[in-house]
Amino acid sequence: MSRLEVFGIEGVPEVRPGDDLAGMIAAAAAADPTTALADGDVVVVTQKVVSKAEGMLVAVDPSDPLSHKPLVEQESVRVLRRRGDLVISETKHGFICANAGIDLSNIDVGYAALLPEDSDRSARRLRDGIRARAGVEVAVVVSDTFGRVWRRGLTDVAIGCAGIRGIVDLRGTEDSRGRVLQVTEVCVVDEIAGAADMVMGKATGIAAAVVRGIDPKWLGDGNVHDEIVRHPTEDLFR
Amino acid sequence: MSRLEVFGIEGVPEVRPGDDLAGMIAAAAAADPTTALADGDVVVVTQKVVSKAEGMLVAVDPSDPLSHKPLVEQESVRVLRRRGDLVISETKHGFICANAGIDLSNIDVGYAALLPEDSDRSARRLRDGIRARAGVEVAVVVSDTFGRVWRRGLTDVAIGCAGIRGIVDLRGTEDSRGRVLQVTEVCVVDEIAGAADMVMGKATGIAAAVVRGIDPKWLGDGNVHDEIVRHPTEDLFR
């Protein structure tokens, strides 16, 4: 029977532009025998440290709580809704989220972090880097915290992935009655990102986590941009 | 450091209207020493078995694949979008989802399962029943599989909960820089439902799972209807 373990990787040092993030995660994981990485693990890394390592930081006026708002406009290709200071927009990456994914928490005062230019590519690089440094074949999910249209509260979702399929398609498999299931395309990378969020917390500064024990059939080529970001032509709410 | 375990409860027999679902879950969990329930566990139960136990089954014409469509209209208070056979509507419970949460998989041929009348109440009853039968204080989440507006693929979310807060409010706590976090209301019960989905699968008939190791601070009074279902007045996309 499948059994998942979800745990945070502690001790990743402060990440700065140009840092070898894969190496830092691999070293921190290896420093504690209970968190050493293994083949088949999914390593979930928060957008914020990926953006920091990739230098996606922009100086903002620390005395102005709205100083990042021009960046929101710059990173957006289409604004869907505005209410007060809140902007819901489609980013140039195709994500629809609040404030173009830009926020200021856990960043040095005076800076804002933009989303990575290509989070799937970020995930591939992290996966390659972890393989090179730790000798293990892991999948990587880059996670970010998004709101939802009709439900309060935020959850973490995947904005990039590598080594794992974004969506596992169970269409055509049989249910326990032998009836063919009609639509069961499960977005497993979002469920993985959410599970990892529960051990990372928002205030503790743990920047990466491991989900261990997923079905090996889910591993393989995958990416968020092509599999998960809904194309405008099939979108009923844009 | 927090470490979660997520595992399915195997061996729950076929659920029929009027069955003591809490007792069946408690007995199945206890039958395998590796899945025995403990204080602080979150037991995630799929909507489908809750609906079956509560008798929310309606006869439909097995020869007509659209025979449940009149039920979709009946269970909806407002239709938001239609495309082909797909209806996105607000159900009488306040959920916005496809086909009013009605589906036909893993149900006897000739029947459709409606959502429970009050999934938070269902969760409270399961929690009370498990306490009475197994002597453990667990939280309960009733989960269902919903689509998302701008992301492809389905994930499991909470449609009811008991003994756990639906949303953990981290507003006002400090991030690792000592800066007060602005908005971090995490919908932990949705992240829990998604994690549980990964060990339940769609075709294997495992109807309940356990998420063990959550932060005890998340336990307490909570419910999905009041905490998570977004009120129309604050909804930008209805």
Side-chain angles (χ1 to χ4, degrees), chain A residues 179-201:
Chain A
R179 175 163 29 194
V180 173
L181 292 174
Q182 298 185 312
V183 178
T184 315
E185 293 188 294
V186 179
C187 185
V188 289
V189 290
D190 281 357
E191 293 185 333
I192 286 169
D197 184 43
M198 290 192 278
V199 300
M200 293 202 274

Side-chain angles (χ1 to χ4, degrees), chain A residues 7-11 46 199-201 203-209, chain B residues 1-2:
Chain A
F7 52 89
I9 297 173
E10 294 190 88
T46 60
V199 300
M200 293 202 274
T204 57
I206 296 180
Chain B
M1 193 201 64
S2 74

